[in-house]
Amino acid sequence: MLFRTSMIVTLTFFMFSFGHVQGQDPGKADMLLLNGKVWTGESPDKFEEALAIKGNKILAVGKTSEIRNWASAETKIIDLKGQLVTAGFNDAHTHFLSGSMGLANVDLNNATSEEEAIKAIVDYAKQHPEKTWITGRGWQYTIFKNGMPNKDLLDKAIPDRPVFMSAYDGHSAWVNSKALEAAGVNSKTPYDGFGSIIKNENGNPTGALTEGAQQLVRKWIPAASKEEQLAALKIGMQYAASMGITSIQNASGSIPEFSLYENLLQADALTLRSSTALSVGKNTTEADIAAFAVLKEKYKGHPTLRASAIKFMVDGVIESHTAAMIEPYADTNITGDLALPEKVYKTLVQQCDAAGFQLYTHAIGDRGVRVALDAYEDAMRKNGQRARRHRIEHIEQSQPADVKRFAKLGVIASMEPIHADPGTVAVWEKAVGKKRLPHSFVWRSMLDNNVQLVFSSDWPACITPNPIRGLHTAVNRKTIDGKPADGWVPEQRISMAEALKAYTQGGAYSSGDENVLGKLQPGYLADIIVLTKDLFTTPASQVYTTRVALTIANGKVVYQMPLQEEMIKE
């Protein structure tokens, strides 16, 4: 989805802080939502007509005639006119700073060929002669003949400035010769980390870099200032509000990055709930983990800002054959490898588990998933029994025996429906092969095995962060134009109620907030969205056409679709 800063600032957006909102009358509501279809989230078919909000919490839910009694002369009234109301979306796996920074760069998500991608890059370069580097992301592996990019066309198009384009998933990069030159990367450059400098038959770099090798070039891109990062986050929060996202869970981060959210909080400018899983790898020290623990305790139980989790990367992605598989890929004789040596990973898991952190592990291949489950089980055995809500992220391939282990171990399955959009899986499917295809993005199997399912976007590592598109994929397993006709691995489809639950209550459970967030019940936090279509009655094939009409976060209107302005009456 093409989205530019100039488009973002046209949104009708109301800035707010997460401080407690005082009502005029302590016995009355600050806001009423009337004459709607309110999905409370208590069960698939539990609906009410209206709700009342006092401060930042839901005061009452029920019939319009009952809820009207909570009004005073100062109460804001919203006539829903039959529209569907649900809890706000919780994007439980995002890289929000990266996504926000990228809104002002080249967007290749809509490029369906290498030529279209080149045109988008050239157009951007012409519009930004002041840029010393041309950066962007979003290209699909499917637009390149061999599944990976080559610098030849890029060199012809932009010969005088370095170009760095991340793949849509962030696990590969496409660079030109000028970028390689700036970084000093050539045929003699050694690299023995996770990933590779892809070279041709003559040993020369092709312009494609995978996984950690991307950093050889990325580190030379001029860093954004703190002010630029804060400005980008504010734009990103506006963007999120327009899609009904009221909570995010950052699936990577550092102390300097977390401090940006602290600054926003202190300035009353943090307009969504944010938690961060701090990144840990083989170079992380005990001092680093101790510093993370200080942040964890400082924000323990905070209603808006948290840093109580740790993020590991145990493998890569299937398209570049860097995800760890049990058996070789169907289109090559390799199995991929672990991003961390298994012994190192298990030691770090045990250490961070003992320190009381929630754990996230990126694991896409079926071997990666098994290694993560093994590490969690080992830590539980060594550190003793306690309440844990560890997660595994993505789980694009998994074996049936391992799916059953999730519920047994209490491990959350954190998955992104948008990654299974059938329009993006050609290279992925070729690598996986027909034999393993039934084990792909197994949402139905997870639910049938009583696994806690959490949905998210992985923004900016996705074609769009819009939860509505994720819902469309979850219930259809088809593209928005209905392909394939029978659905892609259709037996893994889930119902709309199940998908909505994963996008709302699932995220709340993951952060330990299931008793105050993710449902529309009295006493719950007032994070609420109004939709233009009834997702429960709209034909499944048309789910993607739904828009967010209104977003309420912490009891305040933070986004209103321009054509919906007549809804609100003072």
Side-chain angles (χ1 to χ4, degrees):
M1 178 175 60
L2 188 63
F3 203 94
R4 288 284 174 263
T5 303
S6 59
M7 297 173 67
I8 297 171
V9 296
T10 66
L11 296 173
T12 304
F13 185 83
F14 303 86
M15 296 297 289
F16 74 104
S17 71
F18 273 96
H20 181 69
V21 181
Q22 298 294 332
Q24 297 294 321
D25 183 334
K28 296 296 183 179
D30 296 320
M31 187 186 304
L32 302 184
L33 278 66
L34 307 176
N35 303 313
K37 183 176 180 180
V38 179
W39 186 59
T40 67
E42 296 169 82
S43 66
D45 56 358
K46 183 68 164 68
F47 298 95
E48 296 289 356
E49 295 177 350
L51 59 81
I53 298 169
K54 177 70 172 178
N56 67 346
K57 293 184 178 180
I58 297 170
L59 186 62
V61 181
K63 296 184 180 301
T64 292
S65 58
E66 299 167 344
I67 299 303
R68 283 190 187 278
N69 294 327
W70 292 100
S72 69
E74 293 82 15
T75 300
K76 181 179 292 185
I77 306 294
I78 298 179
D79 184 1
L80 297 168
K81 299 180 180 179
Q83 290 180 309
L84 180 67
V85 181
T86 76
F89 293 126
N90 190 325
D91 192 342
H93 181 120
T94 183
H95 307 275
F96 200 75
L97 176 61
S98 177
S100 297
M101 293 295 296
L103 289 172
N105 296 330
V106 181
D107 184 347
L108 299 180
N109 280 295
N110 285 339
T112 59
S113 67
E114 185 175 5
E115 290 72 24
E116 285 186 12
I118 291 290
K119 182 179 185 306
I121 295 167
V122 169
D123 288 348
Y124 181 91
K126 289 179 179 177
Q127 293 165 12
H128 296 277
E130 79 287 358
K131 296 277 189 180
T132 57
W133 281 69
I134 305 302
T135 59
R137 72 181 300 141
W139 55 266
Q140 292 283 334
Y141 297 90
T142 52
I143 71 172
F144 299 105
K145 182 178 180 181
N146 297 316
M148 291 296 283
N150 185 287
K151 61 184 173 62
D152 292 347
L153 284 182
L154 203 52
D155 284 345
K156 292 178 182 178
I158 312 286
D160 57 342
R161 283 187 279 177
V163 178
F164 187 101
M165 296 289 134
S166 293
Y168 85 100
D169 60 12
H171 287 263
S172 302
W174 178 23
V175 302
N176 66 352
S177 292
K178 201 70 175 177
L180 293 170
E181 178 186 328
V185 175
N186 53 48
S187 60
K188 299 179 181 179
T189 302
Y191 181 74
D192 59 0
F194 182 56
S196 62
I197 304 168
I198 296 181
K199 298 178 180 180
N200 60 23
E201 62 276 9
N202 297 318
N204 295 314
T206 64
L209 306 166
T210 67
E211 304 298 346
Q214 297 176 83
Q215 191 60 18
L216 295 172
V217 176
R218 182 187 282 121
K219 67 183 179 182
W220 295 94
I221 300 172
S225 68
K226 180 178 179 179
E227 291 70 26
E228 290 171 328
Q229 291 176 321
L230 287 169
L233 284 174
K234 290 177 181 178
I235 292 171
M237 289 187 293
Q238 294 178 26
Y239 185 29
S242 75
M243 295 180 289
I245 297 169
T246 54
S247 296
I248 59 169
Q249 297 178 40
N250 282 297
S252 60
S254 63
I255 290 177
E257 183 176 332
F258 184 80
S259 71
L260 296 171
Y261 294 93
E262 290 184 296
N263 287 347
L264 291 171
L265 179 67
Q266 292 160 7
D268 288 336
L270 185 59
T271 60
L272 41 65
R273 304 183 199 281
S274 174
S275 66
T276 295
L278 297 156
S279 301
V280 166
K282 63 182 179 180
N283 296 322
T284 302
T285 66
E286 289 189 9
D288 292 329
I289 294 174
F292 296 163
V294 171
L295 275 185
K296 175 172 70 72
E297 292 305 312
K298 180 179 179 180
Y299 289 95
K300 185 176 182 179
H302 196 284
T304 310
L305 191 60
R306 307 263 182 90
S308 57
I310 293 295
K311 167 70 178 300
F312 300 102
M313 293 280 296
V314 83
D315 69 355
V317 294
I318 283 169
E319 291 90 339
S320 61
H321 305 112
T322 54
M325 304 296 285
I326 294 171
E327 296 181 3
Y329 284 94
D331 56 351
T332 182
N333 62 355
I334 65 173
T335 58
D337 204 355
L338 297 176
L340 275 173
E342 188 170 355
K343 185 176 180 180
V344 173
Y345 170 60
K346 283 189 171 182
T347 298
L348 287 168
V349 164
Q350 183 182 344
Q351 183 180 0
C352 294
D353 175 77
F357 286 100
Q358 181 185 26
L359 306 182
Y360 295 20
T361 296
H362 165 119
I364 282 180
D366 53 6
R367 182 188 171 206
V369 171
R370 182 168 293 175
V371 165
L373 288 168
D374 288 347
Y376 288 173
E377 187 170 19
D378 183 59
M380 292 173 190
R381 183 172 58 253
K382 291 178 178 177
N383 294 334
Q385 293 300 313
R386 66 172 175 83
R388 292 177 172 88
R389 294 188 181 180
H390 296 338
R391 304 172 21 161
I392 298 181
E393 313 301 305
H394 310 308
I395 321 168
E396 295 183 6
Q397 272 284 300
S398 54
Q399 293 298 310
D402 288 323
V403 170
K404 296 179 184 298
R405 295 176 67 196
F406 277 80
K408 178 183 177 182
L409 297 173
V411 174
I412 295 168
S414 172
M415 307 176 77
E416 295 78 29
I418 197 63
H419 284 177
D421 184 298
T424 68
V425 300
V427 173
W428 189 100
E429 186 173 344
K430 180 182 177 184
V432 166
K434 291 183 178 179
K435 177 183 175 182
R436 286 178 292 214
L437 202 58
H439 309 311
S440 306
F441 300 90
V442 290
W443 313 320
R444 177 78 271 148
S445 295
M446 288 292 182
L447 291 177
D448 287 349
N449 282 278
N450 299 312
V451 178
Q452 182 69 49
L453 182 64
V454 173
F455 277 169
S456 58
S457 71
D458 198 19
W459 189 55
C462 57
I463 57 175
T464 173
N466 191 345
I468 297 295
R469 280 290 300 274
L471 290 171
H472 182 93
T473 304
V475 302
N476 287 289
R477 305 280 292 211
K478 298 179 183 180
T479 62
I480 60 175
D481 55 357
K483 298 177 182 177
D486 295 329
W488 185 72
V489 196
E491 62 271 20
Q492 293 298 336
R493 279 185 275 224
I494 62 175
S495 72
M496 178 55 69
E498 290 168 331
L500 274 172
K501 184 177 178 181
Y503 265 118
T504 53
Q505 296 169 48
Y509 177 85
S510 171
S511 61
D513 296 313
E514 70 273 19
N515 293 321
V516 295
L517 198 65
K519 296 180 184 178
L520 301 184
Q521 294 181 241
Y524 274 58
L525 292 165
D527 291 0
I528 300 164
I529 58 174
V530 180
L531 301 170
T532 59
K533 293 188 177 181
D534 183 348
L535 295 173
F536 292 90
T537 60
T538 295
S541 63
Q542 296 301 303
V543 165
Y544 77 95
T545 63
T546 305
R547 299 290 179 266
V548 173
L550 193 74
T551 302
I552 297 170
N554 215 48
K556 300 288 286 185
V557 173
V558 296
Y559 169 77
Q560 185 178 339
M561 183 183 288
L563 296 180
Q564 298 286 328
E565 292 179 5
E566 71 279 5
M567 290 174 64
I568 300 181
K569 299 177 182 179
E570 298 295 341

